[in-house]
């Protein structure tokens, strides 16, 4: 059953007529959306500022680490002008010059040790520790047992020329930077050998057979102080960058270059 309106002349209000309630709702929505957009914009600005601060903090941290590492490497004292002494060993038939503040020990049975003063040494862990640099001249060619059957070159060999070579020696020699088999630290250096005409590239094997052909055996080694006065010492592994410090690159190398075999 269907029903009809009793007022057939009824007409709905024109749809274009305004309704205050609808206008208020639209106005309210517009304000809400504007506030929402403003909030989102502020949130984006805040997040961008946070990211900026994080980036600045990371860059600052990297700069601090670089400066710290740079300062660590530069802690070794600057070598001042030191008087030079001449040492003549009739028992070993070897002459050389050395800084006056280094100490020479000669057992008169073919072994000479020249020890530096106490200095700051960069070890394989990039820490500074007190120790001594030592130049050893051994007529008996006794290879340290730590060398094993072979060691590895931790740097390319370097050529140095003797200042006043005699007829019993060549004009120059290789310096070879040896890492012993027991050393696992990257860049760890155990000793520098004078290897004559034998030169080695980075990471190349240094066979013990080559070392046994050398006479005398000359080594630059490194010792760590156990007590305050450095009366007790032990062998140490240094960072290979330490060879660039003046106590090695100037003083120890100068001793080596001045050697004369008579």
């Amino acid at each position: 059953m269907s029903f009809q309106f009793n007022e057939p002349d009824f007409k709905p209000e024109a749809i274009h007529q305004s309704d205050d309630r609808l206008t208020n709702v639209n106005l309210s929505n517009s304000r809400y959306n504007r506030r929402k957009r403003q909030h989102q914009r502020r949130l984006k600005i805040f997040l961008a500022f946070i990211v900026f601060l994080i980036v600045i903090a990371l860059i600052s941290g990297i700069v601090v680490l670089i400066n710290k590492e740079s300062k660590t490497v530069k802690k070794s004292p600057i070598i001042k002008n030191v008087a030079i002494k001449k040492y003549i060993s009739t028992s070993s038939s070897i002459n050389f010059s050395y800084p006056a503040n280094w100490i020479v020990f000669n057992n008169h049975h073919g072994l000479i040790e020249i020890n530096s003063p106490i200095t700051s040494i960069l070890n394989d862990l990039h820490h500074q520790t007190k120790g001594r640099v030592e130049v050893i001249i051994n007529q008996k060619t006794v290879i340290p047992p730590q060398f094993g059957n072979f060691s590895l070159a931790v740097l390319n060999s370097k050529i140095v020329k003797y200042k006043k070579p005699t007829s019993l020696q060549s004009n120059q020699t290789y310096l070879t930077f040896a890492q012993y088999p027991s050393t696992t630290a990257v860049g760890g250096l155990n000793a520098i050998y004078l290897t004559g005409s034998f030169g080695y590239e980075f990471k190349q094997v240094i066979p013990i057979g080559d070392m046994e052909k050398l006479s005398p055996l000359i080594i630059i080694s490194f010792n760590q102080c156990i007590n305050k006065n450095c009366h007790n010492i032990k062998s140490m592994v240094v960072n290979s960058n330490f060879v660039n410090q003046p106590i090695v690159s100037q003083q120890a190398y100068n001793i080596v270059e001045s050697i004369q075999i008579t």
Side-chain angles (χ1 to χ4, degrees):
M1 181 180 296
S2 62
F3 297 91
Q4 296 181 350
F5 286 107
N6 294 326
E7 297 179 355
D9 294 333
F10 172 80
K11 295 180 180 180
E13 294 179 357
I15 61 173
H16 66 273
Q17 291 180 347
S18 61
D19 188 328
D20 292 339
R21 291 172 300 174
L22 182 60
T23 300
N24 292 335
V25 170
N26 291 335
L27 181 60
S28 177
N29 288 339
S30 176
R31 291 174 178 172
Y32 171 76
N33 290 333
R34 185 166 61 252
R35 286 196 299 269
K36 183 177 180 180
R37 287 193 299 270
Q38 290 174 346
H39 175 73
Q40 290 175 340
R41 185 162 54 250
R42 287 195 294 267
L43 181 60
K44 289 180 181 179
I45 294 173
F46 176 75
L47 291 176
F49 180 69
I50 294 298
V51 171
F52 174 76
L53 289 180
I54 293 173
V55 171
I56 293 298
L58 289 174
I59 294 175
S60 300
I62 293 172
V63 170
V64 169
L65 288 175
I66 292 174
N67 289 338
K68 183 178 180 181
E69 181 67 19
S70 176
K71 290 178 181 179
T72 299
V73 174
K74 293 179 181 179
K75 280 185 179 178
S76 293
I78 297 174
I79 300 297
K80 298 180 180 179
N81 292 330
V82 178
I84 300 299
K85 288 186 176 182
K86 182 77 174 181
Y87 189 87
I88 299 175
S89 173
T90 54
S91 59
S92 296
S93 299
I94 286 181
N95 306 331
F96 56 86
S97 299
Y98 68 100
N101 59 350
W102 288 51
I103 299 173
V104 178
F105 168 79
N106 188 345
N107 72 352
H108 299 289
H109 294 285
L111 177 65
I112 299 175
E113 298 175 352
I114 311 109
N115 290 289
S116 78
I118 299 174
T119 188
S120 183
I121 297 179
L122 182 67
N123 68 16
D124 57 324
L125 299 177
H126 290 261
H127 297 154
Q128 293 287 345
T129 184
K130 295 296 182 182
R132 297 181 187 274
V133 179
E134 181 180 40
V135 179
I136 301 171
I137 304 173
N138 195 335
Q139 298 280 26
K140 295 184 179 180
T141 315
V142 179
I143 311 298
Q146 300 91 329
F147 189 95
N149 292 323
F150 64 88
S151 291
L152 292 179
V154 73
L155 296 169
N156 291 333
S157 293
K158 171 185 173 68
I159 293 179
V160 297
K161 295 182 178 181
Y162 293 114
K163 294 177 180 178
K164 295 181 179 179
T166 67
S167 58
L168 299 178
Q169 66 189 110
S170 60
N171 293 329
Q172 61 188 28
T173 180
Y174 276 108
L175 295 180
T176 294
F177 306 88
Q179 183 184 82
Y180 295 156
S182 60
T183 299
T184 57
V186 176
L189 172 66
N190 290 94
I192 305 172
Y193 286 71
L194 270 69
T195 52
S197 59
F198 298 110
Y200 308 88
E201 295 181 346
F202 174 56
K203 289 189 176 180
Q204 188 175 356
V205 168
I206 310 168
I208 191 173
D210 289 354
M211 302 299 100
E212 291 172 340
K213 297 174 184 177
L214 304 173
S215 182
L217 181 65
I218 302 174
I219 305 172
I220 301 173
S221 61
F222 312 95
N223 295 312
Q224 180 179 351
C225 298
I226 297 178
N227 54 18
K228 184 177 180 180
N229 296 323
C230 215
H231 291 152
N232 295 321
I233 59 174
K234 65 177 181 179
S235 298
M236 67 176 294
V237 182
V238 303
N239 184 277
S240 58
N241 288 326
F242 183 67
V243 301
N244 298 319
Q245 294 301 297
I247 197 164
V248 179
S249 64
Q250 293 178 23
Q251 294 194 343
Y253 288 180
N254 284 343
I255 293 173
V256 166
E257 292 171 355
S258 71
I259 291 176
Q260 292 179 302
I261 300 175
T262 60

